[in-house]
Amino acid sequence: MAKGQTTVSDFAVAPRRSRPLERAATPADSASNPAEPSTETKNADQPQEPAPLGTEADQPANRLIAPTQEARRERATTRALQREDSRVRLRDLKRARDRESKHYVNCPLDYDTKMRLQRAAIENDVKMTVIMKAAIDQFLKDNGY
């Protein structure tokens, strides 16, 4: 097609969708928007019939909105209970994690004690913290704690 020979009627135009709640037509609307589209915008393969209400395009919106007040209230109650259950489970998980968390104790050691601890850890292939935990535990058991 050459540029000069292309017209609007050469392109396919989708049919207009009908609006469920159309406002009343005023004389100004009828002048600017004629009821029948011009012949050059019509496509021979696609008739210009408005889609009836309740078609597939309207159904997803209808499923999102509950039809009655009782159904909406029931859905809201169900969601609130689910959120409450989730909140309680999250709180319990946080409490369990806090119970199992590590509690650190700082202990200043002199140079000789630190070197002995480090040498014992290297020779026994054990971390220094494990040795310190065992030593503290043994001390507390020996003293009745």
Side-chain angles (χ1 to χ4, degrees), residues 65-116:
I65 300 172
T68 63
Q69 184 69 22
E70 293 84 25
R72 281 188 230 126
R73 187 176 297 124
E74 182 180 338
R75 184 182 293 171
T77 304
T78 304
R79 286 182 182 162
L81 289 173
Q82 288 173 346
R83 284 193 301 265
E84 180 69 16
D85 290 342
S86 297
R87 189 185 66 78
V88 168
R89 275 187 271 134
L90 181 62
R91 184 191 65 202
D92 291 343
L93 284 173
K94 285 182 179 179
R95 284 183 182 170
R97 186 186 63 202
D98 289 343
R99 273 188 239 117
E100 296 173 2
S101 66
K102 297 177 181 177
H103 302 281
Y104 295 96
V105 177
N106 289 334
C107 177
L109 299 175
D110 60 23
Y111 182 77
D112 292 333
T113 307
K114 167 75 170 22
M115 289 297 115
R116 288 175 26 217

Side-chain angles (χ1 to χ4, degrees), residues 1 6 14 23 29-30 35-37 39 45 63 84 89 109 118 121 126-127 129-131 135:
M1 275 193 248
T6 305
R23 55 188 172 95
D29 290 341
S30 62
E36 189 68 27
T39 56
D45 297 336
R63 280 187 262 150
E84 180 69 16
R89 275 187 271 134
L109 299 175
Q118 188 174 11
V126 179
K127 291 186 177 184
T129 55
V130 173
I131 296 172

